[in-house]
Amino acid sequence: MAASYQKSIYANLIAGRLPVGSGSAQKVVMNHAYAILGSNRLHCYCLERAGYVYFFAIESIHLASEPGFKLPLVDALPGMPLHRGDGIYTVNGPDYAAALIIEAGSVRLLCQEPELLKDYLAGLDLRITELPATAGQSLSSIPQAIHGITERVSGFILKASYGVLLLSGVTFVGAQAATAYTQSKNIDGLNPKAVENDLNTTLKKLSVQQPLARQLSRIQKVSSTVVRSGGWIERYHLKGEGHEQFEVVLPSWVSQDYLDALGRDVVTDLRDMEGLLTVRKLDKER
């Protein structure tokens, strides 16, 4: 029974190497894993080395039957006790095999039937090291403090709405938007996309002649664009209707339509070929 649980773990595990820059390694991994797995209930292992973070991540539900599971592949990462440079590091079970391939900075994880994986690995010109089943470290739950890009950004939308309310003295539009957000969050099982759509629908119903409605709509457009891309907001400032500045981080693979949705006068900065694109907008009239 334990072997079948372990096979499920390896089959649903993701691994990789991402640039960290000046940000939080755990936040970078959280954002990346959220975009791939579509869940913010995650367990991960992070290891920072020379400006990068090596990681393993998995949806927490797959560890429910084996909460104390130790992942031997962790000990094969750079700087760990079983790391021997570039190569293939394998773990073998009765009906599965997993391999971590480390080569020239890239990290790949494969899980397959033993014979199929063996045939594939034989074609790679890399040393193979089998890891003992007793090796490894446990994966940890992502702290609640950084749990969920959409949850965090949705919270930002609500706070921003309240801030605009105080400045403008108009209560109706903000109350309607806040009510829509609160009601959506209270519906059991409603996903983040449904919350975003519900808030967008409510804002469209409000009078576009209201300055506050236009401000809230702009905030929602920026934040939803960032959420859809799997990125996050570093800072955002909106004064009146004509002055906006922000700094957001997106995956480098985003298409031009994401940048177009953020408006004119944006400046991009590719922080690393593997991964992150900083997008800034200066405090100019749109």
Side-chain angles (χ1 to χ4, degrees), residues 140-170:
S140 301
S141 175
I142 294 286
Q144 188 65 35
I146 61 169
H147 223 189
I149 307 167
T150 302
E151 291 177 2
R152 180 159 49 85
V153 175
S154 296
F156 166 81
I157 296 169
L158 186 58
K159 291 176 182 177
S161 301
Y162 285 147
V164 176
L165 274 172
L166 292 174
L167 291 174
S168 66
V170 180

Side-chain angles (χ1 to χ4, degrees), residues 14-21 23-33 44-57 77-78 105-107 142 232 272 274 276:
I14 63 172
R17 187 186 81 147
L18 296 169
V20 176
S24 162
Q26 201 167 46
K27 184 190 297 184
V28 169
V29 171
M30 176 68 193
N31 293 334
H32 185 76
C44 73
Y45 182 89
C46 302
L47 179 67
E48 289 189 67
R49 284 288 184 276
Y52 291 86
V53 56
Y54 294 84
F55 73 92
F56 295 96
L77 295 175
S106 69
V107 176
I142 294 286
W232 68 91
D272 193 280
E274 289 189 34
L276 300 177

Side-chain angles (χ1 to χ4, degrees), residues 11-188:
N12 290 281
L13 191 69
I14 63 172
R17 187 186 81 147
L18 296 169
V20 176
S22 59
S24 162
Q26 201 167 46
K27 184 190 297 184
V28 169
V29 171
M30 176 68 193
N31 293 334
H32 185 76
Y34 182 94
I36 294 175
L37 300 177
S39 172
N40 58 19
R41 298 181 181 275
L42 301 168
H43 273 66
C44 73
Y45 182 89
C46 302
L47 179 67
E48 289 189 67
R49 284 288 184 276
Y52 291 86
V53 56
Y54 294 84
F55 73 92
F56 295 96
I58 190 171
E59 289 186 74
S60 299
I61 191 173
H62 296 297
L63 295 178
S65 299
E66 203 165 332
F69 174 75
K70 290 186 176 182
L71 183 64
L73 296 175
V74 167
D75 282 350
L77 295 175
M80 298 299 282
L82 299 182
H83 182 69
R84 301 292 182 270
D86 285 2
I88 302 167
Y89 299 86
T90 63
V91 176
N92 296 297
D95 60 346
Y96 72 90
L100 184 70
I101 304 173
I102 302 176
E103 183 179 18
S106 69
V107 176
R108 289 185 290 155
L109 177 63
L110 304 175
C111 180
Q112 190 53 272
E113 295 180 4
E115 289 304 315
L116 292 177
L117 187 60
K118 182 179 180 181
D119 289 342
Y120 174 78
L121 297 179
L124 302 180
D125 188 21
L126 292 170
R127 178 177 56 186
I128 298 177
T129 302
E130 183 173 353
L131 303 175
T134 55
Q137 304 287 333
S138 299
L139 278 66
S140 301
S141 175
I142 294 286
Q144 188 65 35
I146 61 169
H147 223 189
I149 307 167
T150 302
E151 291 177 2
R152 180 159 49 85
V153 175
S154 296
F156 166 81
I157 296 169
L158 186 58
K159 291 176 182 177
S161 301
Y162 285 147
V164 176
L165 274 172
L166 292 174
L167 291 174
S168 66
V170 180
T171 60
F172 175 73
V173 178
Q176 291 297 312
T179 299
Y181 170 84
T182 304
Q183 289 176 346
S184 297
K185 289 289 285 184
N186 288 337
I187 298 176
D188 186 38

